[in-house]
Amino acid sequence: MKTRITELFGIRYPIIQGGMHHVGFAELASAVSNAGGLGILTALTQPTPEDLAREIARCHEMTDQPFGVNLTFLPSFKAPPYPEFIDAIIQGGVKAVETAGRSPEAYLPQLKAAGIKVIHKCTSVRHALKAERIGCDAVSVDGFECGGHPGEDDIPNFILLPRAAEELTIPFVASGGMADARSLVAAMALGAEGMNMGTRFLATREAPVHDKVKQAIVEADELQTRLIMRNLRNTERVMNNAAVEEIQRIEKEKGEAETIDDIRHLVTGAKSKLVLHEGKLDEAAWSCGMVAGLIHDIPTCDELIGRIIREANDLVRQRLAGFLED
C-alpha cells in the first residue's frame, strides 16, 4: 500500500502506533515496525535523555525497520530538557518524530537540520494549518472519539477529516476511532493517507501493559469512556473506573472553581503506572478511546496489521467495487 505517508517515513503500510505514556517502549515500537507500520517510542516515559538513548539503541536491536519517537511539549513551568532529548533522538539515528501538546516550532530547526521528518498531533483544522505553516511534514488529525486529549472543539472524525483534506496540502493520518480495515478505508476515503492507532495497539500481545488492562479493553463497549478535566480545558477521554467516578464527583462539586490540585492524586503518571503495569485498574484515570467497542481480541502486532491490510484490500476491491455499475 503506497501513500505519501508510507513514502515520507519509508514504511510498508500507512499505519502509525500512537505515542503513549508508559506504553511506548521498544517491545511495542519494534513489533509495529517489524509488521510494516511505524512504531513509536515515547520520549517522556524515559526519566532522562540518557535513558531515551538507551531505549532507542534497544529498539534498533529489535528491528531494522524505521521507527519514531513521540515528543510531547507540556504546558509546564519546569520544562523537561527538550534539546537534550532531541540530541538523543538525533544521535540514535531516528528519522521520524511525532510531536504533541504545544507547538513544536521552537524545536523544528534542530530536528530539521538532522533530516528528521516531523508529524504533529492536532485536534482541529486551525492547529493543523499552523503545523503546516511552521514546517511540519505531516499531521495526525485527532477526532473527538480519540483516547487521551481530544481538544475542546468536540468535532468527530467524519467531519474533521474531510475538513482537514479541504485545507491542508501536507499529508495527514486519521487518529481516534481507528481499529481495523474499515477504519483505514474510511479514513482514506475522507482524505487521510493513513491512520494512527493508540487504544488498538494497547490490546496487542507485545504491548508492555498488564493483561488486565488488555482484557478490560476487549470487554468494554463504546459506552465505557468518560471525559474528565473539561472544567480545566484540558479534556481527556479515559476508561470509566472508580477513580474516574471520583474525579467526576469532584468536578461536579467544584465546577468552574476546580483546579488541577483537586484531582492531581487521581491523574498522576505514577498512579497511571499502577494501572498499566500492575493491573490495578481503579487506581487512576487512564486514557482509552471509544474504539474499545471495536476491539474484540488481543493479537500480535504482525497479526493485527496483516489482517488490516488484507481486509482493506478486500473491502476496496470487492465490497466497494461491487457497488459500482458498469
Side-chain angles (χ1 to χ4, degrees):
M1 189 173 286
K2 183 179 179 181
T3 72
R4 285 190 292 171
I5 289 294
T6 62
E7 293 181 324
L8 183 66
F9 296 115
I11 54 180
R12 296 198 303 277
Y13 307 125
I15 296 173
I16 299 175
Q17 168 233 320
M20 295 173 280
H21 202 35
H22 302 309
V23 178
F25 294 98
E27 287 81 3
L28 180 58
S30 64
V32 172
S33 291
N34 284 333
L38 185 68
I40 301 286
L41 300 174
T42 306
L44 298 189
T45 289
Q46 300 298 325
T48 68
E50 292 75 20
D51 289 305
L52 176 60
R54 284 189 284 272
E55 194 68 10
I56 290 171
R58 201 162 71 89
C59 199
H60 278 302
E61 292 174 357
M62 300 169 75
T63 183
D64 60 359
Q65 299 300 306
F67 62 88
V69 174
N70 166 278
L71 197 56
T72 298
F73 297 105
L74 302 170
S76 172
F77 290 111
K78 186 179 179 182
Y82 289 117
E84 288 82 358
F85 274 111
I86 294 173
D87 280 338
I89 292 168
I90 293 170
Q91 295 303 316
V94 175
K95 293 301 181 183
V97 165
E98 176 194 65
T99 55
R102 292 196 165 181
S103 172
E105 185 172 8
Y107 303 97
L108 283 180
Q110 188 182 1
L111 292 164
K112 291 288 192 174
I116 291 172
K117 303 300 184 184
V118 177
I119 180 169
H120 186 60
K121 291 177 72 73
C122 305
T123 59
S124 69
V125 173
R126 65 185 181 278
H127 292 149
L129 286 170
K130 172 70 178 298
E132 178 178 75
R133 190 163 61 249
I134 65 176
C136 292
D137 300 283
V139 289
S140 176
V141 176
D142 282 23
F144 185 56
E145 308 93 325
C146 74
H149 297 280
E152 308 304 320
D153 292 345
D154 300 358
I155 308 297
N157 265 330
F158 223 74
I159 305 301
L160 189 58
L161 297 178
R163 278 291 296 122
E166 288 178 350
E167 300 285 346
L168 293 169
T169 58
I170 59 174
F172 67 94
V173 298
S175 182
M178 303 293 119
D180 54 27
R182 296 169 297 182
S183 311
L184 179 59
V185 172
M188 295 177 77
L190 293 172
E193 298 194 40
M195 67 179 179
N196 176 299
M197 300 194 300
T199 303
R200 172 67 270 198
F201 277 125
L202 268 180
T204 58
R205 300 276 184 86
E206 295 91 348
V209 299
H210 199 279
D211 284 344
K212 287 183 178 180
V213 173
K214 301 178 186 183
Q215 198 58 42
I217 293 171
V218 170
E219 292 174 0
D221 63 25
E222 65 276 13
L223 302 175
Q224 301 308 308
T225 68
R226 300 291 183 269
L227 296 172
I228 60 172
M229 297 192 284
R230 302 234 81 176
N231 294 338
L232 305 176
R233 294 193 62 78
N234 187 32
T235 301
E236 182 176 4
R237 185 178 297 282
V238 295
M239 178 71 85
N240 192 33
N241 63 12
V244 169
E245 290 176 358
E246 175 62 8
I247 290 169
Q248 291 188 310
R249 185 195 67 77
I250 293 169
E251 292 184 328
K252 184 177 180 180
E253 177 185 294
K254 294 283 185 177
E256 294 300 315
E258 180 191 358
T259 69
I260 187 63
D261 288 333
D262 294 320
I263 60 171
R264 190 184 301 276
H265 60 294
L266 296 169
V267 297
T268 64
K271 279 290 191 75
S272 65
K273 282 179 68 176
L274 293 177
V275 175
L276 295 171
H277 295 173
E278 298 184 27
K280 297 179 179 179
L281 298 182
D282 286 314
E283 281 292 318
W286 53 284
S287 295
C288 182
M290 295 173 77
V291 75
L294 298 177
I295 297 172
H296 309 302
D297 62 355
I298 306 171
T300 67
C301 291
D302 187 65
E303 290 168 343
L304 175 61
I305 291 177
R307 180 170 70 198
I308 289 171
I309 298 302
R310 183 175 62 254
E311 292 181 358
N313 274 303
D314 290 343
L315 271 175
V316 173
R317 296 180 187 277
Q318 297 178 29
R319 184 169 188 270
L320 298 183
F323 293 140
L324 300 176
E325 295 180 345
D326 293 335

